[in-house]
Amino acid sequence: MIRTLVPVGVWALLGGLVGAWLGAATGWGVFAVGLLTMVLASGWQLSRIARWIHNIDDPPPPSVGPWDGILAPIYRKLKQNRLELQERTRSFQRVLLAAEALPDGALTLDADQALLWCNQTAATHLGLDLERDKHHSILNIVRSPEFAAYARQAQWDKPLVLHLKRESRERTLLLHLAPYGVGQFLMVTRDITQIERLENMRKDFVANVSHEMRTPLTVLSGFLETLHDMPEGALDPDQRRHYLGLMIEQSRNMQALVADLLTLSALESSPNRHGEPILLPALIQTALAQGQALSGGRHVFETQIDENLRILGADTELASAVTNLMTNAVNYTPDEGTITVTWARTEDGGARYAVRDTGIGIAEQDIVRLTERFFRVDRGRSRATGGTGLGLAITKHVAIRHDATLRIDSVLGKGSTFSIEFPPHRVCTAEAAAQDHAA
Ligand code: ADP
């Protein structure tokens, strides 16, 4: 106010002095010119202020007379607000980034359970598109009666396990709703497909093992009870020998099963090491001797073995894989059949152990299931040969641990070739092994 009144007073004083000297009319004229100058100056300052308003983030124009004292605090306040807003935006973005980095899906819903926000994981789990689905009810997006019933509950003490099928892919999700703030909801989603699959496998495995043990145990205890209840001398020596023979067979089956289970468990629990150069030809010769003993001259054996070729790996594991394929060939090849064993380099520099037989072969639809635990094409035949249904599962496991692949080629009624193909980095020759040893 003072800053406006002072120039008016100065012009009035000047006008008064000029009026006293040159007459009242001139004095008033000088005063009027003074006021006009002030009005024009003020208009010019206002137009600079108006221009600044459009670029309010810049500092205000300097020397705008009485406006200086008004604009400076406004600008300071604006600048402070701007900095606070920037800081809040940054922390909001940090929270959003953290929500995106969550291993679980997260989404927020309003009081009507309409979607407000979701992270990428939740979008993948539930097939959401934030732009498309925002403000739409989650019940219309996740169409499932179980989910609708869950979402309509008054409170959510437990999560919901939901099986969802989208684009021919099935997922099992664990969903948990929780209210937060005023009338808002947070939903957390977790993909438990793999966990559920493992849990089912574990249950199946326990059921299978119990089933496999029950058969020999039932037979064994049946015979033992019969022998126990029979009066002394009621069995002639031949019958007694027959019963004892059957009991020995059943207990051997159980022993084989336990041995295979222990091998599997050792494979699963021990770390996968690169291992030492293993003389596979020696392991093959041992397996061959076992196969020939099992065959008892019923089969013709042909071999083609590169004596120089070693594999970096674990000998006990490799021995069990090599022997499994050999004994299977004997067990599933009728008398007079031929079993051909090869151990040679492959074109890519790797190596291949193959056992070809002229046996019963395997139907195409069964080939893919052969390495499943306890899968047998003919349960009776496998049992009769003391098979556990775990041999190929073990062999495949061993192959994977040696970066190798188990290949199965078979024609029903004609024969099969089971081979383990090792990659070049696992192969090592006798010379290289000797050099390594010397070093
Ligand atoms: P098993 O102890 O029953 O032999 P494996 O896991 O070794 O268990 O083999 C699984 C099944 O694969 C066998 O029960 C058999 O049906 C089939 N199989 C394995 N090797 C051969 C083969 N050489 N020829 C035909 N069938 C085979």
Side-chain angles (χ1 to χ4, degrees):
M1 189 67 183
I2 300 251
R3 290 186 72 171
T4 312
L5 286 179
V6 168
V8 173
V10 169
W11 282 109
L13 189 68
L14 197 67
L17 288 175
V18 171
W21 182 33
L22 296 173
T26 317
W28 279 112
V30 168
F31 184 53
V33 167
L35 286 184
L36 187 65
T37 314
M38 278 178 67
V39 168
L40 287 176
S42 184
W44 177 66
Q45 285 163 346
L46 275 175
S47 73
R48 287 173 68 203
I49 292 168
R51 270 204 304 274
W52 169 68
I53 296 279
H54 291 293
N55 299 305
I56 204 146
D57 290 341
D58 295 343
S63 318
V64 280
W67 300 102
D68 283 340
I70 300 168
L71 295 188
I74 291 179
Y75 178 67
R76 265 200 306 280
K77 185 71 187 144
L78 277 174
K79 197 169 163 186
Q80 191 189 346
N81 285 354
R82 205 166 46 239
L83 289 175
E84 277 175 15
L85 189 67
Q86 274 173 359
E87 184 47 40
R88 271 183 214 165
T89 312
R90 267 200 293 273
S91 53
F92 178 64
Q93 268 162 354
R94 274 198 295 271
V95 172
L96 271 188
L97 282 175
E100 277 303 339
L102 278 176
D104 290 339
L107 54 100
T108 54
L109 306 171
D110 68 11
D112 298 322
Q113 298 193 330
L115 179 67
L116 291 177
W117 168 87
C118 70
N119 68 4
Q120 190 49 47
T121 313
T124 314
H125 285 170
L126 299 168
L128 302 173
D129 177 337
L130 196 52
E131 262 180 45
R132 183 194 62 203
D133 297 328
K134 198 168 179 179
H135 302 307
H136 286 80
S137 167
I138 192 73
L139 298 177
N140 291 335
I141 306 170
V142 182
R143 291 181 169 274
S144 143
E146 299 123 279
F147 178 69
Y150 177 74
R152 288 202 183 100
Q153 283 173 200
Q155 52 191 21
W156 301 273
D157 299 331
K158 286 186 193 151
L160 169 75
V161 176
L162 189 67
H163 294 95
L164 272 188
K165 189 166 183 194
R166 272 193 325 108
E167 292 158 6
S168 77
R169 196 192 151 165
E170 278 193 50
R171 248 186 229 278
T172 308
L173 295 178
L174 193 72
L175 307 180
H176 206 157
L177 255 173
Y180 79 97
V182 184
Q184 298 204 64
F185 301 95
L186 171 72
M187 189 159 94
V188 179
T189 65
R190 177 174 294 176
D191 190 338
I192 54 162
T193 317
Q194 200 61 16
I195 297 173
E196 196 188 45
R197 199 172 291 151
L198 287 175
E199 181 58 15
N200 286 342
M201 273 170 66
R202 192 189 62 78
K203 282 186 196 152
D204 285 354
F205 186 67
V206 171
N208 274 325
V209 171
S210 317
H211 180 77
E212 295 291 330
M213 290 298 252
R214 204 169 53 203
T215 313
L217 272 176
T218 312
V219 177
L220 203 59
S221 64
F223 282 138
L224 283 172
E225 277 166 23
T226 315
L227 288 177
H228 179 261
D229 295 344
M230 270 186 173
E232 193 84 18
L235 275 181
D236 65 49
D238 279 352
Q239 276 178 318
R240 202 169 153 273
R241 204 171 305 113
H242 176 67
Y243 278 142
L244 287 177
L246 290 172
M247 287 191 327
I248 289 171
E249 190 187 313
Q250 293 305 327
S251 55
R252 281 205 183 124
N253 282 355
M254 279 195 292
Q255 270 176 334
L257 182 63
V258 171
D260 278 358
L261 286 172
L262 287 174
T263 308
L264 263 182
S265 138
L267 287 175
E268 275 166 358
S269 54
S270 63
N272 191 2
R273 284 174 299 113
H274 211 248
E276 316 224 308
I278 304 298
L279 196 58
L280 215 71
L283 299 183
I284 296 173
Q285 291 300 350
T286 312
L288 197 63
Q290 285 176 13
Q292 281 164 336
L294 187 65
S295 157
R298 290 177 293 127
H299 305 94
V300 178
F301 283 83
E302 288 174 357
T303 56
Q304 205 185 329
I305 294 166
D306 181 341
E307 298 291 339
N308 205 17
L309 209 51
R310 291 159 197 246
I311 281 294
L312 291 170
D315 56 354
T316 45
E317 294 181 18
L318 289 168
S320 109
V322 164
T323 313
N324 268 328
L325 297 190
M326 191 82 74
T327 46
N328 275 352
V330 176
N331 284 335
Y332 300 103
T333 303
D335 294 358
E336 315 290 316
T338 305
I339 294 165
T340 313
V341 183
T342 48
W343 171 236
R345 265 197 188 270
T346 50
E347 274 176 14
D348 68 352
R352 181 169 182 263
Y353 166 69
V355 182
R356 196 173 78 224
D357 63 54
T358 53
I360 58 173
I362 305 140
E364 208 180 323
Q365 73 271 15
D366 290 330
I367 292 182
V368 281
R369 300 200 55 199
L370 286 192
T371 54
E372 281 175 23
R373 291 170 188 192
F374 299 111
F375 178 83
R376 288 114 151 182
V377 178
D378 178 346
R379 199 164 269 268
R381 182 175 182 135
S382 161
R383 280 243 175 79
T385 58
T388 59
L390 292 174
L392 289 179
I394 292 174
T395 308
K396 184 174 177 183
H397 219 316
V398 171
I400 291 172
R401 282 166 67 86
H402 288 81
D403 310 318
T405 33
L406 171 67
R407 270 193 60 156
I408 305 171
D409 300 292
S410 188
V411 179
L412 191 61
K414 292 242 156 72
S416 320
T417 305
F418 285 75
S419 49
I420 305 176
E421 292 177 2
F422 295 91
H425 70 267
R426 284 279 181 173
V427 179
C428 139
T429 54
E431 294 84 53
Q435 272 170 14
D436 268 8
H437 198 67

